[in-house]
Each structure stands twice: as structure tokens, then as C-alpha cells.
């Protein structure tokens, strides 16, 4: 039997090598995984031309995955620095990297990234359209946009953010909502501008079937972008956001009918008390498709610390059903992140994802925490460092102020609770002086 996508193979009962790998990584029964992929509740983004890929599953019952954004801009067009971020991301074991380059000819960097990376690769073709086509925004035709999508697909991109839901109906809802921060999605704002300047329907909505045909050919997962995601807690869960989400639900089913895998993207900025309800609403309106969230950031007043505001929201979102977290760095809203910003963003997102997996009861999620706790009880520093998300930083902190007694740290010294209890339980005398 012939198939083009992981979803189509699962519908036909074919176990692909990618499904086999994900089943082993997640310790999930392969028949259960097949059912989830066939129904669209799990995706395995795996372009047929991404030969260096180590496949990952995203969705129901699986570990929460994280994505790192990187890429050049007009003000920071240094591909060598971006590739350092790629290497750091791989070292930290991130499952996904999005190349959001929006300046010059990006295809050389993207090819190197796809050839090198075992992590899945995502792009937003809208960002690349002006540079790739060498046309200004208003001069780009609807079919031109599809050419850029096909170019990315041929190179081996595993998933693409396509803002197909911001059609004329959604735009009217946005205009009537009188938002505080309007449209904060870069790709969404460009499409909105193109629609307003040309008077045409969103090309990705108008030619959605042709778009799906391209994605099907290379098994590219469509990540349905939320052009109307809230850019402030004031705008969260408003009519614009929800009207677009309804459109995304309909587009999800149309993609599944063509055996194309689907992710759905979500907010954004959102108050803590709205997050859980939004996760439930998305899953309901989008038929259980995996949910990919940016944050959400739970307050708007922490520039320089938005990796923290994002991790708080991301942990709550994932604990309530989100499947895929896009990292946020301390540089969010301020500048292109540097290497250290990327590291801080990765660690914060990994903490959020892991905390959510524990809350969701993902199989095996607690095991490493139990190992860390056991090592702490025994005061085995080397073992503790080996379990840490950032073992290098943990070691540096410990060694910066070394204790006089190796069975403690410099905070408690000989008054360490672990040391005291261990000695008493071992029948030893506790001496402090």
C-alpha cells in the first residue's frame, strides 16, 4: 500500500520507521500510538527530505515538547552566531527548532540546518516571501506565496506555520473588537496588510486545498498559526482570538481529509485564570489536534524576565492539555536573543514542560525527580549534577563557594538536615562544633 504522510500510513495500518521510533521513545504501545496518529491527536513531523531527523511525537499522552526560535534579521544578519544557537539547542536536547530568518537569501542557512539537525525543523514561509521572491509585499501574488511554501517543503522543513485562519470573517471580528495591542503576530500582520492593500482574501485560505497538496507531497505538518493571538492580557479570549480559532477548527478537518498532519497554535499573553479554559476550548473546537503555545505570558510588565512569565503560563497550559511549548527568552520584546538568552529560554521551557508532564501523569516523568531526590538524600553531588537540567550551572554554583564538609553545601554546612538525619539513622553521633 502506498502512503505519503505519517497520518495516511497510520490510517492504513502501516507501521513506519518514524512511528516505531516514537513508540520506543515514549514507551507507548504502538497500536495506541497508531490510533492517535490516524485520528490526528498525535503528529510526527517528518519531512521525507529531512534525513538527519530523529523523529518525535507531539500530542495526547506524550511528553511535552519544546521549540526554539532562531534566525537572522536585518539588524543581526550573522548566520554563524545563529548556528551556535542551533548547536546549543541540540546539546540541551530540544525537540524542535524554528528558523524564523527574515532577511536576505535564507535558503543556504536553512539547508545547513536541515542537514545538521536531528531536531524537527519549522519555518514561517511568510517571513521569507519578500526575500525569496524579491518583491515588495503588495506585488506578491496569491500563487507566489505557494511557491515559497513549496521551496521550503522541498528543502526538508518538517512543519510550517501558516496563518490560514485570518480570513475576511476573522478580520471583521478583529476590527470590531477594538484591541489594546491589535495584531502582534508578525506573519499575521503581513497577511492582514496584504489583504487590506489588495482587497483580496487571505491566499492561504483561498487556496487552502492547493496548499495542502504541497504539504501532503512532502509530509509537512501544517501548524495553523494564530494571527489573532492576544499580545496583551487585556486582549486574551476576545472575539478576534476565538473567531480565528473557530476557523482553525474547520481548517484542521479539511487537512485531515487530505491526510495532512496538523498542529494548532495558541496564545500569546493570557491571565492565569483564563489558561485552563482556553486549553479545553481549543481541544474542543479543533477536534483534539495537538496544541502549540507561545507562553502564554501571564503578565505584561516583565521585559527582561519574560522567560519566567512564559514558563509560568506554559506549565499551566501544558498541565491542562497543551502539547508543545515555544520557548521565550529574556530578550522577548527587546531584541534578538543572544546565546545566553537562548540557554535561559530553553531551560525555563524545559522546566515548564517537565513540571506539566508530572502533573499530567505522563509515563516515567517522575523517575528522574525520584533519582535526584535519592541522590540528595545520600548527598552524592556528582549524581545530582548528572540529573540536573543544566548540570554545568549546578556544578558552578556548588563549586563557587565550596563547603568544608563534602557531605553538605555552604548554606547549611554541618547543620545540613540530610547529614544530620543520615548520621542518626546510621547510629552515628551528630557533632556540629
Amino acid at each position: 500500500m502506498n502512503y505519503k504522510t505519517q497520518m495516511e500510513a497510520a490510517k492504513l495500518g502501516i507501521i513506519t520507521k518514524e512511528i516505531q521510533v516514537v513508540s520506543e521513545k515514549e514507551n507507548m504501545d504502538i497500536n495506541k500510538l497508531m490510533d492517535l496518529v490516524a485520528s490526528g491527536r498525535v503528529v510526527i513531523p517528518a519531512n521525507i527530505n529531512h534525513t538527519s531527523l530523529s523523529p518525535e511525537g507531539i500530542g495526547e499522552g506524550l511528553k511535552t515538547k519544546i521549540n526554539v526560535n532562531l534566525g537572522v534579521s536585518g539588524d543581526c544578519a550573522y548566520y554563524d552566531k545563529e548556528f551556535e544557537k542551533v548547536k546549543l539547542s541540540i546539546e540541551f536536547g530540544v525537540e524542535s527548532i524554528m528558523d524564523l530568518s527574515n532577511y536576505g537569501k535564507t535558503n543556504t542557512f536553512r539547508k545547513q540546518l536541515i542537514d545538521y539537525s536531528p531536531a524537527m525543523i519549522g519555518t514561517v514561509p511568510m517571513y521569507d516571501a519578500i526575500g525569496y521572491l524579491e518583491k515588495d509585499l503588495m506585488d506578491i501574488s496569491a500563487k507566489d506565496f505557494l511557491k515559497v511554501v513549496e521551496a521550503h517543503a522541498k528543502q526538508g522543513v518538517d512543519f510550517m506555520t501558516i496563518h490560514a485562519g485570518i480570513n475576511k470573517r476573522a478580520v471583521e471580528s478583529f476590527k470590531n473588537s477594538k484591541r489594546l495591542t491589535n495584531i502582534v503576530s508578525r506573519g499575521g500582520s503581513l497577511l492582514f496588510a496584504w489583504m487590506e492593500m489588495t482587497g483580496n482574501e487571505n491566499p492561504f485560505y483561498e487556496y487552502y486545498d492547493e496548499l495542502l497538496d504541497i504539504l501532503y507531497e512532502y509530509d509537512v505538518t501544517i501548524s495553523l498559526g494564530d494571527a489573532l493571538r492576544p499580545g496583551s492580557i487585556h486582549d486574551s479570549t476576545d472575539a478576534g482570538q476565538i473567531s480565528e480559532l473557530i476557523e482553525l477548527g474547520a481548517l484542521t478537518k479539511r487537512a485531515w481529509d487530505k491526510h495532512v498532519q496538523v498542529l494548532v497554535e495558541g496564545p500569546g499573553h493570557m491571565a492565569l485564570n483564563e489558561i485552563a479554559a482556553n486549553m479545553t476550548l481549543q481541544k474542543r473546537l479543533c477536534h483534539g489536534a495537538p496544541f502549540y503555545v507561545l507562553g502564554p505570558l501571564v503578565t505584561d510588565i516583565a521585559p527582561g524576565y519574560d522567560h519566567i512569565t512564559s514558563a509560568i503560563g506554559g506549565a499551566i497550559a501544558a498541565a491542562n492539555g497543551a502539547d508543545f511549548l515555544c520557548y521565550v527568552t529574556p530578550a522577548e520584546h527587546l531584541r534578538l536573543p543572544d546565546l545566553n538568552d537562548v540557554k535561559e529560554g530553553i531551560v525555563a521551557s524545559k522546566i515548564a514542560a517537565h513540571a506539566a508532564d508530572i502533573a499530567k501523569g505522563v509515563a516515567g516523568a517522575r523517575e528522574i525527580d525520584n533519582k535526584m531526590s535519592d541522590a540528595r538524600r545520600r548527598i552524592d553531588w556528582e549524581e545530582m549534577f548528572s540529573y540536573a537540567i543544566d548540570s554545568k550551572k549546578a556544578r558552578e554554583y556548588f563549586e563557587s563557594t565550596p563547603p568544608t564538609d563534602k557531605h553538605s553545601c555552604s548554606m547549611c554546612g554541618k547543620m545540613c538536615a540530610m547529614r544530620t538525619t543520615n548520621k542518626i539513622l546510621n547510629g552515628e553521633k551528630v557533632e556540629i562544633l
Side-chain angles (χ1 to χ4, degrees), residues 50 52-56 90 94-95 113-114 116-120:
H50 188 179
S52 63
L53 178 69
S54 178
E56 296 285 353
I90 300 302
V94 305
E95 296 88 5
L113 177 59
I114 292 166
Y116 175 80
S117 175
M120 66 187 98

Side-chain angles (χ1 to χ4, degrees), residues 16-33:
T16 66
K17 65 179 185 297
E18 291 81 10
I19 289 173
Q20 183 69 51
V21 169
V22 171
S23 171
E24 292 169 1
K25 283 185 175 182
E26 300 284 347
N27 196 26
M28 176 178 279
D29 176 76
I30 201 158
N31 293 314
K32 180 179 179 181
L33 179 61

Side-chain angles (χ1 to χ4, degrees), residues 117-304:
S117 175
M120 66 187 98
I121 302 300
T123 60
V124 187
M126 189 70 200
Y127 294 176
D128 195 32
I130 293 171
Y132 178 84
L133 298 165
E134 296 184 327
K135 294 181 180 180
D136 212 341
L137 184 61
M138 191 172 177
D139 299 325
I140 299 174
S141 71
K143 293 298 180 78
D144 280 341
F145 287 118
L146 296 183
K147 292 177 185 175
V148 184
V149 170
E150 187 162 21
H152 283 215
K154 283 182 177 178
Q155 275 198 302
V157 171
D158 300 298
F159 69 98
M160 295 183 201
T161 294
I162 306 288
H163 298 92
I166 182 171
N167 56 20
K168 288 187 174 182
R169 287 191 297 270
V171 165
E172 282 307 306
S173 185
F174 153 67
K175 287 180 176 178
N176 291 332
S177 65
K178 306 298 182 187
R179 281 185 160 188
L180 186 63
T181 47
N182 290 320
I183 296 175
V184 299
S185 160
R186 182 167 43 181
S189 68
L190 291 170
L191 272 172
F192 170 69
W194 185 89
M195 292 166 68
E196 292 292 297
M197 290 190 296
T198 64
N200 295 329
E201 180 58 278
N202 178 344
F204 296 120
Y205 181 79
E206 185 175 2
Y207 296 98
Y208 191 61
D209 286 327
E210 290 90 331
L211 169 69
L212 293 176
D213 289 341
I214 295 169
L215 303 181
Y216 171 78
E217 190 67 27
Y218 299 92
D219 195 4
V220 177
T221 299
I222 186 170
S223 188
L224 289 168
D226 52 338
L228 296 178
R229 68 174 179 266
S232 61
I233 59 173
H234 177 276
D235 295 340
S236 62
T237 325
D238 70 354
Q241 179 195 334
I242 301 305
S243 66
E244 183 184 32
L245 188 60
I246 292 169
E247 300 291 347
L248 298 185
L251 293 171
T252 295
K253 280 204 162 183
R254 286 176 63 185
W256 286 348
D257 287 343
K258 288 190 170 240
H259 316 301
V260 173
Q261 301 184 95
V262 179
L263 289 164
V264 177
E265 297 187 15
H269 294 233
M270 184 163 285
L272 278 171
N273 59 306
E274 295 180 35
I275 295 173
N278 267 263
M279 301 305 107
T280 301
L281 188 63
Q282 184 276 340
K283 289 284 185 175
R284 180 66 179 267
L285 291 177
C286 297
H287 321 292
F291 202 18
Y292 176 26
V293 296
L294 177 69
L297 281 66
V298 295
T299 179
D300 299 326
I301 60 167

Side-chain angles (χ1 to χ4, degrees), residues 376-394:
R376 281 181 172 149
R377 176 183 58 80
R378 292 180 282 106
I379 318 178
D380 187 325
W381 292 107
E382 289 303 318
E383 195 173 335
M384 281 186 259
F385 299 147
S386 75
Y387 299 137
I389 288 177
D390 185 353
S391 58
K392 182 180 178 183
K393 185 172 185 177

